[in-house]
Amino acid sequence: MLPNDKLEQLQNEYAILHLLYHRNYNQHRVAVWWRYFDMIHRGVRKVLRGIYEAQEAKKIRRREELEKEVAAVASHLLTRVMGKAFYHFHSVIALGQFVNLGFVLVANLSALRSLLLEIEGVQSRRHMQEKPLKSVKIDADDIGEELTIDSVSKPEPSPEVRTIDLFEDIAPKKRSREEPDSGKSEKKKKKKKKKSKSAIDDIFG
């Protein structure tokens, strides 16, 4: 069910869990996170007890029943308890009053989770709960068409585009100051010359 080295690690982590339970019972038993801590403490104890009884069982049928019970308890802890416990243990760190205790709780929880996943029944059950990936059908006969350099047609050159000024025909061209003016300007000049004559010029012709 569980290798000997993993079982020894699980015993060590449970010893830390049990020590934390007795040292902090009177002070933190009213806290919200203690409820999940208590559930983990009792659940891990059931797992270890079930493994010991399964190893000592002489009948195969009894051994299989105990292994199923251990897998069920471990699966319940992983799917229903440890996720919420991880959230509440982080809240202990966030409060800042018992930071060391919060770090120990999170570290112990992560170690227990990795060890419980090593149990045979838990692994198979977890994979059954995962959604399978959608399979994509590929037609093996459809291999496509081979393309060569000659088979690829070159794109035809696009015709030249003549830029048109939208305001070319609408707005009249401005005349430069240096351009000669029309007949109207010559009349204006003659009128100006006539006005420039004084009364003395009229007398003497």
Side-chain angles (χ1 to χ4, degrees), residues 13-196:
E13 294 298 331
Y14 176 74
I16 297 171
L17 186 69
H18 189 67
L19 183 63
L20 290 171
Y21 182 86
H22 283 284
R23 285 193 175 184
N24 297 279
Y25 177 79
N26 293 329
Q27 186 175 4
H28 299 287
R29 62 180 179 179
V30 188
V32 178
W33 61 267
W34 186 265
R35 174 188 174 188
Y36 299 96
F37 181 75
D38 185 27
M39 293 171 68
I40 294 171
H41 179 259
R42 288 185 283 108
V44 176
R45 182 175 59 192
K46 288 181 181 179
V47 169
L48 286 173
R49 185 180 297 172
I51 294 173
Y52 296 148
E53 291 180 359
Q55 289 178 352
E56 295 176 356
K58 296 179 180 180
K59 295 183 180 180
I60 299 175
R61 186 176 179 180
R62 176 59 179 169
R63 186 183 302 172
E64 291 177 353
E65 291 178 355
L66 290 171
E67 289 177 355
K68 288 181 181 180
E69 291 178 1
V70 169
V73 174
S75 299
H76 177 74
L77 290 174
L78 290 168
T79 56
R80 300 293 182 88
V81 181
M82 287 191 169
K84 296 179 181 179
F86 184 77
Y87 173 78
H88 287 287
F89 292 171
H90 264 283
S91 65
V92 178
I93 301 173
L95 289 175
Q97 190 175 1
F98 304 100
V99 178
N100 295 331
L101 176 62
F103 278 116
V104 173
L105 291 172
V106 172
N108 181 255
L109 181 66
S110 61
L112 289 171
R113 183 179 183 277
S114 62
L115 291 170
L116 291 177
L117 286 172
E118 296 292 331
I119 299 173
E120 295 177 0
V122 174
Q123 279 282 11
S124 60
R125 183 172 180 178
R126 189 188 66 165
H127 287 298
M128 288 174 62
Q129 289 178 353
E130 294 178 355
K131 294 182 179 179
L133 297 175
K134 294 182 179 179
S135 59
V136 180
K137 294 182 179 180
I138 300 174
D139 191 1
D141 297 332
D142 187 9
I143 59 175
E145 182 181 355
E146 184 179 0
L147 296 177
T148 59
I149 297 174
D150 298 332
S151 64
V152 180
S153 59
K154 296 181 180 179
E156 296 181 358
S158 58
E160 296 181 358
V161 180
R162 181 174 175 269
T163 57
I164 300 173
D165 190 0
L166 297 176
F167 300 96
E168 184 178 359
D169 299 331
I170 300 174
K173 295 182 180 179
K174 293 182 179 179
R175 296 174 183 172
S176 60
R177 294 179 181 178
E178 296 179 359
E179 290 181 356
D181 203 350
S182 60
K184 293 181 180 180
S185 60
E186 293 179 357
K187 292 179 181 181
K188 289 180 181 180
K189 289 181 180 179
K190 290 180 180 179
K191 289 180 180 180
K192 287 181 180 179
K193 288 181 180 179
K194 290 181 180 180
K195 289 181 180 180
S196 62

